[in-house]
Structure formats: structure tokens, C-alpha cells
Amino acid sequence: MTDPLTQGKSRGGSIYGLLAVTTHAQGGSTGQPAREALKLAKEKIAGETPLKEAPEDEEPAGTTFNGQHVPPMVDLGKTYEEDVSHGYWFVEAFSPYCHHCMSLAPKLQTMYEFYYTSDPLPASSEPKDTESSLNTFSRYYDIKFAKLDCVAFGTACSNYNVASYPTMILFKNGKELKRTTGDREMEKLSAFIEECLEIIRPGSRPVGGLPELPTVGISSFSTDKVTPATDLEAAPTSMLSKPRQTPNPEGISEPFTLETFDTVVTKSLDPWFIKFYAPWCPHCQRMAPSWKGMAREMKGRLNVGEVNCDVEKKLCKDMGVRAYPQLSLFRGPDKLVYDGLRGIGDLIDYANRTVDALGAIQDVTMEEFEVLEKNEDVVFLYFHDVATTKEDFMALERLPIKLIEHAKLVKSSDRDLAKRFNVNTFPRLIVSRKSTSAAYDLLMPQDIRNVERMWKWMQTVWLPLVPELTANNAQELMKGKYMVLAILDREQKEAFSQAQRELETAATEWMEKEEHAIMLERQELRDAKQLRIEEAQDRDDERAEMNAKRIRISTDEIRRKEVAFAWVDGVFWERWVKQSFGISVKDGPRVVIDEEDNKRYWDTTSSGNPILPSRTSILETLPRVLTSPSKLPSKLKGSVVWAYAARSRNTIKSNPIFSAIGVAGTFVAILVLYIRRRWRRKEFTGRYFDLTGHSGGASLLGDNKGD
């Protein structure tokens, strides 16, 4: 069992160590002042371990670690508020009578010495002058370690809401940024310190594991691991650093088993392009040469692997493989299934775009973003500042994998750029699409770390304002939406450019109108909630008031069916346009409002004229189409049978209960008719009426026998 005196010694011979002895001797009694506890400690150890008292005006000597002098941690006192109001402070609030505090003391002291003497940048060949070098822990991170005695300064701990001991808090200019409580093992303590250092300088700490840690109480320790910083004034870099080893060094597709896949792929931050296949599958056999060629082309750039699903059935089942071959892109826990073409050129093109998209997220200035905005239809912009946490950056780094082939993601800490988009709180995610922008709706602060929720929002805005309808994006554009589709001829350049400008103007005005309507509806819901609260308060009904306050105003509840805008090349897709809408581009540019779910469309205005690609024509017609029921007659797409079948399917999906009742009622009616018919046949079998007055004869006109 560790001697409390040794634990106190690791605190640099401070009063903390003496009080720890007192606590140990008294069984952790609580309630004595610090001076009295110190006196008792001296009396109990008198004659056993001589203690040499230092003069009061003498500064503590500190300790030595790895041959470097380490000053003692700062003892905060009456001026604690003024002390922590400047810069970063890592403060441990403790009680000298707390056993957990005594257990943590030597660990924290060792960690403090280890970090204080560590080099934040890779060491150079020249000897380091600790007095003048900028490559020191204290200068690079500008952080001070301190401790606060909650027995001697109880008011200070109360002001910081310290409810249990020990509590470790990171302060910046007097404001709390992060805290943790309780005794911790060296690994967990190091993890918390790493998080704090990452807050101070985002991207400066190693990714994928902790540094090699010393043993508690030692005074010398060396490690080859260094942090991946490159410049003393480097800007925040990606939390997911590039692989330390060259990806795909041999240019092959590496085979995986269940065990190796888990450790190398899903628990790694490196991107992997994986093929799930079966040897007997003819599609897999035909694609094999293209896959090998792509892997060879990606040598040194992208990791490529494969899994034989005949052998690794459990792995393929866990990965959701339902058809062969399935191509999936992995980055840590995130997966993206590739459903494009499988030729070698297509695979290489996708792999190249993957390498570009999954690199370090570019940190842009105002000028760089303006250039990017001109070249890209859609750009996602993540605003951050010095207080953006490690968890925030980790969530950010998971976003690019879903944006491959859709949009570009950049980040910025430029204040002028933030002012342009009216961003006042950080971090914040916005999307810029030509002349419009929209912000990710934060219902709660932790939503900026909710990757799934951010992905869902991005999917609603990652298309250009008015994209071209193609075979690849048709389902995404048309499913579950009303689509304003302009049928154009790109060869008629002047008319084509004019139509695109009109479409973009109409789309912008419509989206602004919809956002305004949603804001009004949200305000109505808030007003209704407030009325319920006030009504409950008037009745003095606490339960009703509590229930009213729990009502959550969600934008998901007031979302209407989305309206999308797009254009299609009427010459290239002439046959499909003719079959679907009965329109020919030869008659001039036209617009249809399509509802794919119900296989219907509108192609005329309220006056009966064709809808033209103009702002006025579109915005006048849309509201009449979207009313329920529509004020304008619709037309059916394709065959009548197919259109009605689609409507029936959608009716069943949207009203499952009534549809089930209707199906059950129809089944019962058919069953009743069938039973009644069978009963009648059974009752009159072999019996009929004869005009001659005989019953049971063979003919209505008489006996069927001869005369």
C-alpha cells in the first residue's frame, strides 16, 4: 500500500502532502481547519520521520524530470479569481481529507512533470535552450497547472460549483471550458489532458491513441512519439491526420478476414475501398480485372481491399451485403456504398475523387472562399473559433465521406466571412448555393456533434439550386417531391441562358417564401405553447404548466412536401419527355410541375396556356398546384393503369390503417358473397319448376322422354 508521505512528497513537499498524512492517520476525518490538520500531522510523525520546515518566504524548490527543472504547480489562494482570469489554467480542486485526492496526487504530479518537459514539436538536432526556445510545452500551449484547496478556500470551490473531490477544470480567461471529476488511472487522466490541449490548439495532438506514458513517481522517461505539429504558429489542422504509413504501398487489393477487417478498417481513420464478392458470381468475375487495375493505379494513394463472402459470411452479413459485388468506402465507423459504373475508368475516377474529398479539410479566408464560390455550385462552410472542442472537430471530420460527388466542405475562422453570413455563435455549419445560403438548424448545442442529423440536413441542400436532371440523380430529385422541371435545348444558347436565370430567380424567391412561412408557423406554435403555460399558471396547475413547458417546437412537424427545381436536356431525353409528358422541345422551352409519387403532372397555367420558364409563370402556377385539392387539373404520366396503380400504392402507404380496413372489408364482402352463392347452389341442386306442373323434369317445356 502506498505510503501517504510518499504521496505528499510527489506534490513537491507542499502542505498538501502533510495534510494527506493527517487524513491517513485519522481515517479521513473531515471538519478540521488546514492549520490544525498540519499541526496534528507533525505531532503524529514526530520521532519517526523528521520534517524540515522551510522558511515562509522561501519559494518551493520544485522537482526534476528528464533532467529538466519543473516548477511546482501553483497553489491558488485568495487571489484565485484574478489568477485564472488570464490565459489557460488547468486547476485541480481537492480536499486534503479526501482519499481519492490522495490517490490522484502522485499521478497528477507525474503527468504534470511529463507534459511540462515534453516537446510540442519534433525535436531538432540542435540542443534546446529551455530559457529562450519557443519549443517548450508552457510556451506553445500557454497553460498553467494549479491546485485549489477546498478546505482552506471553500468559497472559491463553491463559486466554481465543485460538488465532489477531486474535480479538474480547464479555464480560459476565468471561464470554464471543460471539467471532470473523480480519481483516474493514468490513461484516462492523460486522455482528459489531451482533450484540454486540443481545445487550446485544435489539431496539434496525436490522433488514434495516447502518447506513451511514464510510471507513477519516476523522474526520467523517454518516448519516440511526438505530436504531429509542423509550425509554431500553425493554424488548426484536421483532427484526422493523414496515414502515417503510405496507403496501399504495393498497389494490390488486400484480402480481409473478420478479425483483420475490424482492426485495420473499421477501427482505423484511414479510408478503405472494399469489394465484397463471391467467387462463383459472374459479375464479380467480370469485374475482377478492373478492380485489380484500379488497385494498382491507387498505389500509394488509397487503400484497397476485398472480402470473400463465401468464407467470411458473418462479416458480410454484419456489413449489410445483399448482392455481389458490393463496393463500399469505409473511413472508421462510417460507410458509403458505391453504386456507380464498374469499368476500370469509372472505378479509378471515383477513387481519385475519394482521395481528394477525404484529405484535410481546407481552412479558407474570405478571399479564398469567394474564389471557391464562383467555381462550385454548392459549398458547405464550417465556422470555428479557438473554443471549438475536439469533439466538434471529430464530428466535422466524419462529414466529407457522405459528400463525395455531391458538394465541397471547407472550414474557416475568418471573422469577416462570418459577418457576411451573420454567424455570431461558433461552431456553425452553413451551405452556400450561388446567391442563397442556409444554416444548419441547432435545436440544442450538442446538435453540432450529431453527425447523423447533420447528414440528413445536408442531403436536403447539397444539390445545386437548379440542377440538371440526369439518370444518376433522377430518383433523388423526384422522389417524394413536387419538381418544377424545365425542358430546354442547350444548343439554343441565348434562350437556354435566359431560361436558367429565370429558373434560379424563381427557385430563390420560392425558397425564401417557404422559409418565411415556416418561421411564421413556428412562431404560431410557440405562441400556442405560451398560452398553455399562462393558462396553467392562472389555474395554479403546476402539473399542466410542467407539461406545457415540455412541449417541443420542432421544425420537422411543420415541413411541407418539398418543391425542387431542375432542368432536363429535351433533345438528349426527347423520347422520355415525349412518353412522360407528351411534350416536344421542338415546340419551344416548356415547364411541367411533376409529382412522381402519384404519376401525375401539370403543364398549363390557370388560363390554360403552357407553363413557360419564367419567374412569373412558375410562381403564379405553383401555389394553385400545391393546394389540397389542387385548383388546376392534373394529367397522368404514362399508361392509365400504371398511374392508378401508383396512386393506390401511395394511398396505402400514406393511410395504412384506413387501407387495411378497406382491404379487410373487401375481403369479408367477397367471402360473404361466395358463401351465399354456394348455399343457393346446394339448396336448389337437381330441382327446377316445369311449365307442365311437374317438378324435377329435364325441360321447361315438358318431359325429356319420348312420346
Side-chain angles (χ1 to χ4, degrees):
M1 188 173 180
T2 307
D3 186 355
L5 183 60
T6 306
Q7 294 178 337
K9 196 173 182 180
S10 67
R11 290 279 181 174
S14 68
I15 190 174
Y16 186 96
L18 300 176
L19 293 176
V21 177
T22 306
T23 306
H24 180 76
Q26 294 183 339
S29 61
T30 60
Q32 291 178 313
R35 289 185 178 179
E36 188 175 345
L38 175 59
K39 183 178 178 181
L40 289 172
K42 291 180 179 180
E43 292 176 354
K44 287 186 176 293
I45 61 177
E48 299 176 8
T49 308
L51 293 176
K52 182 179 180 181
E53 296 189 31
E56 292 183 0
D57 58 348
E58 185 177 314
E59 292 292 332
T63 57
T64 302
F65 192 87
N66 279 344
Q68 297 183 35
H69 173 72
V70 180
M73 285 189 278
V74 179
D75 284 306
L76 295 177
K78 294 180 180 179
T79 60
Y80 67 92
E81 288 184 339
E82 182 181 352
D83 292 337
V84 301
S85 63
H86 304 287
Y88 290 94
W89 287 74
F90 184 96
V91 179
E92 181 211 7
F94 70 93
S95 168
Y97 307 111
C98 164
H99 290 282
H100 295 296
C101 301
M102 288 189 286
S103 174
L104 179 67
K107 303 172 190 174
L108 182 59
Q109 178 67 24
T110 302
M111 294 303 299
Y112 165 59
E113 294 171 348
F114 167 69
Y115 277 100
Y116 185 88
T117 57
S118 64
D119 292 336
L121 302 176
S124 62
S125 58
E126 300 177 1
K128 184 175 72 173
D129 182 3
T130 57
E131 296 295 329
S132 60
S133 175
L134 294 177
N135 188 21
T136 61
F137 179 84
S138 58
R139 292 194 178 192
Y140 186 77
Y141 287 102
D142 190 24
I143 184 174
K144 298 179 179 64
F145 282 71
K147 51 185 183 288
L148 178 63
D149 187 341
C150 290
V151 172
F153 303 98
T155 303
C157 294
S158 298
N159 292 339
Y160 293 140
N161 298 319
V162 176
S164 58
Y165 307 120
T167 295
M168 287 167 283
I169 309 174
L170 176 66
F171 292 97
K172 179 191 176 184
N173 297 332
K175 295 183 179 180
E176 179 184 332
L177 298 182
K178 196 175 186 66
R179 77 162 56 198
T180 187
T181 59
D183 183 18
R184 290 180 168 238
E185 298 301 323
M186 291 287 282
E187 291 76 12
K188 293 183 178 180
L189 181 58
S190 176
F192 179 72
I193 296 175
E194 290 286 334
E195 292 175 6
C196 294
L197 298 178
E198 189 63 41
I199 291 174
I200 299 172
R201 274 186 176 264
S204 65
R205 304 308 298 167
V207 178
L210 298 173
E212 191 177 345
L213 302 176
T215 306
V216 178
I218 66 173
S219 59
S220 179
F221 178 75
S222 62
T223 176
D224 295 331
K225 293 187 178 181
V226 294
T227 56
T230 58
D231 191 313
L232 283 171
E233 299 299 330
T237 56
S238 174
M239 288 295 297
L240 295 178
S241 59
K242 293 182 179 180
R244 295 183 181 180
Q245 297 181 351
T246 303
N248 193 10
E250 299 179 9
I252 62 172
S253 178
E254 183 177 342
F256 283 105
T257 63
L258 178 63
E259 294 76 16
T260 58
F261 189 89
D262 185 51
T263 56
V264 177
V265 178
T266 58
K267 290 184 179 179
S268 168
L269 298 176
D270 301 339
W272 280 87
F273 198 15
I274 304 293
K275 174 182 72 171
F276 297 90
Y277 73 101
W280 48 264
C281 166
H283 299 291
C284 304
Q285 295 169 2
R286 285 194 293 269
M287 197 189 75
S290 299
W291 185 258
K292 289 182 179 178
M294 182 273 298
R296 188 165 51 250
E297 187 70 20
M298 288 296 107
K299 179 179 179 180
R301 301 190 64 212
L302 179 65
N303 294 307
V304 181
E306 58 188 50
V307 176
N308 185 344
C309 291
D310 271 3
V311 177
E312 303 296 335
K313 294 181 179 179
K314 185 178 185 307
L315 174 58
C316 294
K317 182 179 179 181
D318 293 342
M319 293 297 109
V321 178
R322 297 184 178 180
Y324 304 127
Q326 176 175 303
L327 309 182
S328 298
L329 180 66
F330 289 86
R331 194 187 195 189
D334 303 317
K335 179 182 74 170
L336 180 66
V337 177
Y338 171 73
D339 55 2
L341 300 176
R342 310 295 176 91
I344 183 170
D346 303 301
L347 294 175
I348 292 174
D349 182 56
Y350 179 76
N352 284 328
R353 290 199 300 271
T354 296
V355 172
D356 295 337
L358 298 185
I361 299 176
Q362 182 183 358
D363 206 320
V364 298
T365 62
M366 178 80 159
E367 294 74 18
E368 291 170 336
F369 181 79
E370 289 175 349
V371 174
L372 184 66
E373 202 174 22
K374 293 178 182 178
N375 300 326
E376 300 286 342
D377 291 326
V378 182
V379 182
F380 287 96
L381 179 57
Y382 185 92
F383 286 102
H384 63 92
D385 62 359
V386 293
T388 303
T389 65
K390 177 181 179 180
E391 290 80 5
D392 296 331
F393 279 110
M394 291 178 66
L396 170 66
E397 293 296 340
R398 292 181 58 188
L399 299 180
I401 190 172
K402 298 291 186 178
L403 295 178
I404 296 174
E405 297 188 303
H406 289 289
K408 188 172 183 64
L409 173 66
V410 295
K411 61 184 178 180
S412 178
S413 58
D414 191 310
R415 294 291 176 175
D416 293 331
L417 189 56
K419 288 180 181 179
R420 174 189 159 183
F421 290 102
N422 296 320
V423 173
N424 300 313
T425 58
F426 301 89
R428 197 71 191 272
L429 178 64
I430 69 158
V431 61
S432 175
R433 298 191 292 179
K434 295 297 183 182
S435 58
T436 65
S437 63
Y440 171 59
D441 193 11
L442 293 174
L443 298 178
M444 303 183 71
Q446 58 265 33
D447 286 340
I448 198 64
R449 302 175 194 150
N450 190 332
V451 178
E452 294 294 336
R453 189 172 183 272
M454 285 193 287
W455 276 339
K456 289 181 180 179
W457 173 76
M458 288 173 134
Q459 289 174 4
T460 65
V461 295
W462 66 20
L463 289 170
L465 197 60
V466 184
E468 179 184 3
L469 183 69
T470 65
N472 293 331
N473 65 13
Q475 185 175 7
E476 181 181 2
L477 276 173
M478 303 174 74
K479 188 175 181 180
K481 304 173 184 176
Y482 288 97
M483 185 174 67
V484 179
L485 180 64
I487 302 165
L488 308 176
D489 182 359
R490 70 168 79 234
E491 296 300 326
Q492 299 178 4
K493 299 187 182 299
E494 185 176 347
F496 178 72
S497 300
Q498 176 66 22
Q500 279 197 317
R501 286 194 296 270
E502 290 288 326
L503 279 172
E504 289 180 359
T505 302
T508 302
E509 290 189 21
W510 178 262
M511 290 178 182
E512 290 176 353
K513 178 182 175 182
E514 285 294 285
E515 286 296 324
H516 181 66
I518 290 174
M519 289 177 61
L520 291 178
E521 291 188 32
R522 184 189 299 172
Q523 187 59 47
E524 289 179 2
L525 292 175
R526 288 174 177 167
D527 293 341
K529 176 181 177 179
Q530 185 61 32
L531 285 175
R532 290 191 180 188
I533 295 174
E534 292 175 358
E535 182 181 0
Q537 290 174 344
D538 292 340
R539 298 199 312 265
D540 199 20
D541 189 341
E542 294 183 359
R543 186 171 184 178
E545 181 182 355
M546 185 179 299
N547 291 334
K549 289 181 177 179
R550 287 176 179 172
I551 297 175
R552 184 176 177 182
I553 307 300
S554 175
T555 55
D556 297 334
E557 298 175 1
I558 55 179
R559 289 288 180 187
R560 302 179 179 88
K561 193 169 185 178
E562 187 180 351
V563 176
F565 291 74
W567 67 274
V568 65
D569 188 339
V571 176
F572 186 83
W573 296 100
E574 182 179 9
R575 184 178 178 184
W576 174 78
V577 170
K578 186 71 175 177
Q579 289 179 344
S580 300
F581 310 113
I583 295 175
S584 174
V585 74
K586 296 177 182 178
D587 300 330
R590 298 276 293 276
V591 171
V592 296
I593 301 174
D594 178 69
E595 187 187 13
E596 180 66 20
D597 293 348
N598 288 319
K599 297 296 179 183
R600 60 177 181 169
Y601 67 95
W602 294 260
D603 62 352
T604 58
T605 64
S606 57
S607 61
N609 297 320
I611 307 174
L612 299 177
S614 73
R615 165 185 166 276
T616 304
S617 182
I618 293 171
L619 295 181
E620 282 183 353
T621 308
L622 255 180
R624 297 177 178 274
V625 169
L626 298 182
T627 55
S628 183
S630 174
K631 294 181 180 180
L632 296 178
S634 63
K635 298 179 181 179
L636 298 177
K637 290 178 64 176
S639 67
V640 176
V641 175
W642 177 254
Y644 277 110
R647 288 191 180 186
S648 300
R649 182 183 67 247
N650 291 327
T651 301
I652 292 173
K653 286 182 178 180
S654 58
N655 301 286
I657 297 177
F658 291 107
S659 300
I661 294 174
V663 171
T666 304
F667 176 77
V668 171
I670 294 174
L671 183 63
V672 169
L673 290 174
Y674 176 77
I675 294 174
R676 289 185 64 183
R677 189 172 182 182
R678 293 277 299 183
W679 178 77
R680 286 180 178 179
R681 285 185 177 181
K682 184 176 181 181
E683 183 179 359
F684 296 106
T685 298
R687 308 280 299 176
Y688 57 86
F689 293 99
D690 192 275
L691 293 178
T692 61
H694 299 286
S695 177
S699 172
L700 290 175
L701 297 176
D703 197 351
N704 61 351
K705 298 179 181 179
D707 294 333

